[in-house]
Each structure stands twice: as structure tokens, then as C-alpha cells.
Amino acid sequence: MMDLAMAISSSCRIWENLDGEGGSWEFHNCPGVAGYMFCDINSVDIDADGDMDIVGSGLQNYVDDILVIFENLDGRGSEWIHHAIRTENALARFKGISDVNNDGYIDVLGAVSGPSVLWCDVMGPAHAGWVQSSILDVTEYPDWESISWISTEPSGTDVSFLLKSSNNPEDMGVWCDTISDPGNLTGYIDSTHRYIQYLACMTTDSDNYGPVLDEVSLVWSNTGIEGEAGDYAPPISVSPNPACNEVSITVPTWGQDIAEVSIYDISGKLVVVVTNRINGAFQWDCRSASGLVIPSGIYIVRCVSGDLSSTTRLVRL
């Protein structure tokens, strides 16, 4: 049965054709690389394991392109990890696949600026595995701060993480973008979600050794929100969303404390603190603190008032 795959902003979206006739579909999200937009995608079993992977090119501020292989871990398009091929060629774009040197492995072909062709020789499939945690209930509505881990990663190996969070353990949503390094969780999961789950992805290009994961730590603080499931901070309202230029941000009413609204990019870097407020709503012109128009992509809008906080996502077209 034929499914659909589409590059949207910093990730790929897959619609699984459940009935083979296009009448029933199931959505899967394929997390991308933070800060990059993706295009020119194609499906191929690049690791020769019997399922379809996705290959595409990533664009950051219209320069510094990368080629990316999205590896299908479970064969159904529900679990993914990505492998970035940093070409060091400006404007490198994915163009096709072929076993150029007849070694039995499908290679990746691209185009770069000027009359040149980029050939990325795939030397063989990497070995990949993953460990999925149970759903953790922290019994409060936390302000998620950071993730860290202790691992041994010999040359040619890697450890990364995916997270998902919710206030409903029966519906945990989709995995966040790949977290390659320990650090701040801003932009990856929603602050104030009491349930969290992680997927540890481990890869190696060796037949003899792999990475070793010893410990995983998640750090959070109490937001001050108490009550039964569902009694959490009211959400921020952003309109329009997606947006092109101007947005209006309406924040919850949390007593007498003055609300502060900040915008972060998907990597967790602060873009600007919004101060312009008209008739109770914050107004933002989609510019950074330096006055530059922000590039297209996904951004995190965070409101803090006293001990309370809430976040939401904004898509900039």
C-alpha cells in the first residue's frame, strides 16, 4: 500500500494508508533537525533492513545545507532517528539515490552550487537500537528544565534521545525533535505536563562494539500548580498561527502577578522578550531582539507569571 510523506518546516510528516484505498489514514511525525527546514524528500530502504526510510535535504537560513537520512526504526514509521550528512557545501540539495560504486549499498546524490554533483558514499548500514522507558508520572505539574545522561560512546557510536509528554497518559502525543546533547528542554516538550516518556536511541557503525548508556536524568521544578488531572495552567492563545508577520499573544489571567512573554527557537535559544502590550494582549512583529525578521520555522512562546508558566508553539511561515 502506498503512503504519503511530506516535508513540513523542521520535520517530515507521514500519513499511513490504513485501508489501501485512501479512505483511512494514520498520522506519524518524523522529528527533524532543530533549526533546519526540509525539502526534496524521497523514500528508500537505504539501510537494507526491509522497511522504507526517508532521505532529504535540510536548509538553514537558505545556506549551510545538509543531507539527512531519517531511519525508520520500527518499520511502521512511528519511531525514527536521523543521521545528518554535513557536506560543507553551500546550497547542497538532495537529488537522488543510486549504488554508484556497485558495492551493494545505496548512495545519496546531491547537487551543489555550480556545475558539480555531490556523491555521498554509504559504506554500509549502521547498527541501531533503542530503549523506551515506561511513562513517568511526577504527580505534579512541573516546569521541565533539562535532560542529562552518562554514556560511553566509542568512535563511530552515538546516543540521542526523543521525549514526549502529556497530561493524559492514554494519549502521550508524538516524539519531540531529536536531542543530541544534554541540556535545556525548552522547545522540546510542554512545560506543565506531568507525564513524560523517553526513547534512548543508540547507534554504531561497528560490528564489534556499541555505546553504553549508564544513567538518564530529567530535572524539573514545581510550577506551583496543584489539583487533579486537568487542573493545569490555562493555555496561551496565539493568533494567527501559523503566522507571517504580526501575532497577538493572549495570556491566561493568573492573579495580580505581571506576565512576561518570551519567544524561543526550537533549540531553546531566547529570540526576544515581548514587551508591547495592547488591550491586554502582547503584540509581536516576528522580529528578534536585534530587530531582524526571524526565519521560517517553529518557535516556542512561553508565558511566566509569578510561580506559574505555560508554553505553546508558533509556526512562522
Side-chain angles (χ1 to χ4, degrees):
M1 295 184 292
M2 300 299 291
D3 305 314
L4 297 175
M6 181 181 297
I8 301 179
S9 189
S10 63
S11 64
C12 291
R13 310 278 176 89
I14 298 96
W15 286 267
E16 181 183 355
N17 188 352
L18 297 179
D19 60 6
E21 300 179 354
S24 179
W25 300 85
E26 182 177 341
F27 169 76
H28 303 284
N29 187 53
C30 177
V33 184
Y36 284 86
M37 298 185 66
F38 288 91
C39 56
D40 303 321
I41 64 172
N42 201 343
S43 58
V44 60
D45 183 9
I46 198 163
D47 53 1
D49 63 352
D51 56 42
M52 300 302 289
D53 309 301
I54 294 176
V55 183
S57 49
L59 184 65
Q60 184 184 53
N61 297 331
Y62 301 98
V63 294
D64 187 28
D65 285 51
I66 60 175
L67 301 179
V68 180
I69 299 170
F70 298 96
E71 182 182 354
N72 187 349
L73 292 180
D74 63 357
R76 294 191 63 252
S78 299
E79 312 290 350
W80 299 84
I81 58 174
H82 73 263
H83 309 280
I85 305 172
R86 302 193 179 275
T87 66
E88 298 182 357
N89 287 275
L91 301 179
R93 305 297 292 273
F94 169 74
K95 289 301 181 183
I97 50 176
S98 178
D99 184 4
V100 176
N101 54 354
N102 294 314
D103 63 354
Y105 299 113
I106 297 174
D107 305 314
V108 180
L109 303 177
V112 296
S113 56
S116 301
V117 175
L118 183 68
W119 167 35
C120 300
D121 183 13
V122 177
M123 308 299 291
H127 305 292
W130 62 96
V131 176
Q132 182 171 311
S133 74
S134 58
I135 298 175
L136 171 66
D137 180 5
V138 299
T139 69
E140 60 184 7
Y141 298 98
D143 188 356
W144 293 104
E145 295 181 358
S146 64
I147 182 173
S148 62
W149 60 89
I150 299 174
S151 61
T152 303
E153 301 176 32
S155 177
T157 70
D158 182 66
V159 174
S160 60
F161 280 82
L162 305 177
L163 296 174
K164 55 185 175 182
S165 62
S166 175
N167 279 318
N168 178 5
E170 302 299 323
D171 181 12
M172 292 296 292
V174 300
W175 296 107
C176 72
D177 295 333
T178 300
I179 302 174
S180 300
D181 299 299
N184 196 292
L185 287 177
T186 300
Y188 288 104
I189 57 173
D190 191 330
S191 174
T192 75
H193 278 175
R194 62 180 286 183
Y195 298 98
I196 193 168
Q197 187 175 24
Y198 70 76
L199 183 75
C201 306
M202 293 171 283
T203 64
T204 178
D205 57 13
S206 171
D207 293 328
N208 302 315
Y209 57 83
V212 177
L213 178 63
D214 296 309
E215 181 180 311
V216 182
S217 298
L218 292 163
V219 177
W220 71 90
S221 58
N222 193 331
T223 63
I225 305 171
E226 300 178 353
E228 298 298 324
D231 295 337
Y232 53 91
I236 303 169
S237 174
V238 179
S239 180
N241 191 9
C244 293
N245 297 309
E246 299 279 344
V247 297
S248 178
I249 305 168
T250 303
V251 302
T253 301
W254 292 334
Q256 301 301 315
D257 290 319
I258 299 175
E260 179 179 277
V261 172
S262 303
I263 312 295
Y264 298 83
D265 64 20
I266 199 66
S267 69
K269 180 180 178 181
L270 178 65
V271 175
V272 69
V273 175
V274 182
T275 57
N276 184 27
R277 192 169 187 175
I278 301 176
N279 296 327
F282 288 84
Q283 307 297 320
W284 182 43
D285 58 3
C286 291
R287 293 179 180 270
S288 67
S290 61
L292 299 177
V293 176
I294 61 171
S296 300
I298 298 176
Y299 293 83
I300 306 302
V301 182
R302 177 176 172 84
C303 175
V304 178
S305 179
D307 293 330
L308 306 181
S309 66
S310 185
T311 64
T312 191
R313 289 197 175 197
L314 165 67
V315 177
R316 166 76 161 88
L317 299 177

